[in-house]
Amino acid sequence: MDDDIAKRALEDEIHFCAAHPQRDTELRCNRCQRYMCVDCAVRTPVGYTCRQCVRGHEDRFFEGTAVDYGLVAATCAVGGALTPLVMLLIGGFLILGFIVAPAIGGTAGQIALQLTGRRRGRYSGYVAAGAVVGGGLASALLLLGGLGLFSLLFLALAASGAYARFKVSI
């Protein structure tokens, strides 16, 4: 009888989210058993997991170093610098630019990925995209003397191609 009362008292206990102590909840992480609110829960194929456990799981995929970030930035900046020059060579064939620009960015990203031994950092895709845009802007302003609307569009397409090479689907 005392066991039933103790069990019922434990069941009636109010639990609070580990990240938001003002929110009561009964939802627990399926990995660490931490209480979490609906905003903190991440739905996975095997149940709900807290954001900390998901982040820890993702960290196994990101093993890039500061040197890797530098290699990615340098390689993608060169690819970005080539983008306005190639677009200038293409000339009035704008439709061809929509194909070539993402290919330039993707190629620069692939070369950077090979140089780093296929190691990715959590922010490698952002570094690659930013370097493509930075290299392209520098090239367009210094060598071409200006930047047009289509140059910006092609740089954005090249940056998205570089970013895509580092995207990890988990």
Side-chain angles (χ1 to χ4, degrees):
M1 182 99 153
D2 289 333
D3 290 335
D4 290 339
I5 294 172
K7 190 184 248 184
R8 191 174 302 142
L10 286 176
E11 290 174 1
D12 292 339
E13 186 178 335
I14 297 175
H15 302 101
F16 295 95
C17 174
H20 303 103
Q22 70 278 10
R23 297 182 188 172
D24 60 329
T25 185
E26 290 300 318
L27 186 60
R28 292 181 117 173
C29 175
N30 63 357
R31 287 184 165 207
C32 67
Q33 300 303 311
R34 182 180 305 147
Y35 285 101
M36 60 187 171
C37 65
V38 178
D39 293 334
C40 294
V42 177
R43 186 174 182 189
T44 64
V46 293
Y48 290 98
T49 306
C50 66
R51 293 187 190 281
Q52 292 87 351
C53 289
V54 169
R55 183 117 174 148
H57 178 71
E58 288 175 347
D59 283 342
R60 294 187 308 182
F61 297 100
F62 300 116
E63 50 193 29
T65 63
V67 173
D68 294 334
Y69 282 127
L71 283 171
V72 169
T75 306
C76 290
V78 170
L82 292 176
T83 303
L85 300 176
V86 171
M87 294 303 119
L88 183 65
L89 291 175
I90 290 175
F93 300 105
L94 293 178
I95 295 189
L96 190 58
F98 287 102
I99 297 169
V100 172
I104 292 171
T107 302
Q110 183 64 36
I111 291 170
L113 195 58
Q114 295 299 324
L115 287 175
T116 60
R118 302 197 60 81
R119 289 185 303 273
R120 292 173 172 89
R122 186 172 289 279
Y123 305 106
S124 292
Y126 298 114
V127 170
V132 166
V133 170
L137 288 175
S139 173
L141 294 175
L142 294 175
L143 300 176
L144 304 177
L147 196 64
L149 177 64
F150 283 106
S151 296
L152 285 173
L153 177 64
F154 293 143
L155 274 178
L157 290 171
S160 69
Y163 174 81
R165 296 307 305 149
F166 288 94
K167 182 72 177 144
V168 176
S169 297
I170 299 174

